[in-house]
Amino acid sequence: MSNEAQRKANPEQLKRQLEFQIRLNTLIQRIQETESFSEVMPEIERDLLSLLNGERITVYQRSRTNPELVSKYKSGDEFKEIRVALSTSSISGYVGLSQKPLRIADVYDTAELNTIHTNLHFDKSYDLKSGFRSQAMLVVLIKSKDVLFGVMQVLNRLGGGAFSDMELRNAVKIGLLLGNQFRYELGGTRD
């Protein structure tokens, strides 16, 4: 089917794509106008989550001295800080180590996690302590020029179910944007 035929066949989809692109461009502009990651995240969290159809977000920063990721920004106030090993045992750590984004339908599904890596598991202790129930997850790299600065994790698709391939691609774009814009600020934790 030609591009013209696709446009005629699905005007509603084109309208949604255009609306998304407008919202993404507005978000990109807000990010680019800000010099500080710590200042912009509280301001854009709601719009970012709406754009990615997620309920919560955690942005992890790579530690300079330890093989781990440390939460730089996160939704919710149940925990002051979250640390995960940069290893195959944690989901965000696996993404940082493998340099591959992940889209997981259900973090509690051991079989699904084992198809990614046999050591991979979801740490349920955060859900148990907070009362929040994690399910679907998008995890993407925050990097610039092949340098890993951290990982962005989006939890639970609005309306339920798994995140789409398009939502994953959009999250990858945003992770790269964050890496390019805040590479000096996200260059690594001091511990």
Side-chain angles (χ1 to χ4, degrees), residues 48 53-54 67 82-83 90 92 108-109 128 156 178-179 181-182 187:
L48 183 58
N53 290 324
I82 300 172
R83 291 177 175 264
S90 73
S92 292
Y108 281 84
D109 183 347
L128 293 172
N156 294 4
L178 292 174
Q181 181 69 20
F182 302 115

Side-chain angles (χ1 to χ4, degrees), residues 116-180:
I116 299 165
H117 195 281
T118 55
N119 291 342
L120 198 60
H121 74 277
F122 175 68
D123 186 350
K124 300 171 180 94
S125 68
Y126 292 104
D127 279 6
L128 293 172
K129 291 175 188 171
S130 70
F132 180 81
R133 172 60 161 84
S134 301
Q135 186 172 2
M137 190 181 289
L138 287 177
V139 190
V140 299
L141 301 165
I142 298 174
K143 61 190 274 186
S144 177
K145 299 180 182 175
D146 293 328
V147 176
L148 175 68
F149 298 116
V151 170
M152 180 175 71
Q153 173 185 0
V154 181
L155 288 168
N156 294 4
R157 187 174 193 278
L158 293 174
F163 287 99
S164 70
D165 287 337
M166 178 65 80
E167 289 160 339
L168 177 62
R169 285 191 297 274
N170 293 334
V172 167
K173 288 178 194 175
I174 292 169
L176 290 172
L177 172 68
L178 292 174
N180 288 329

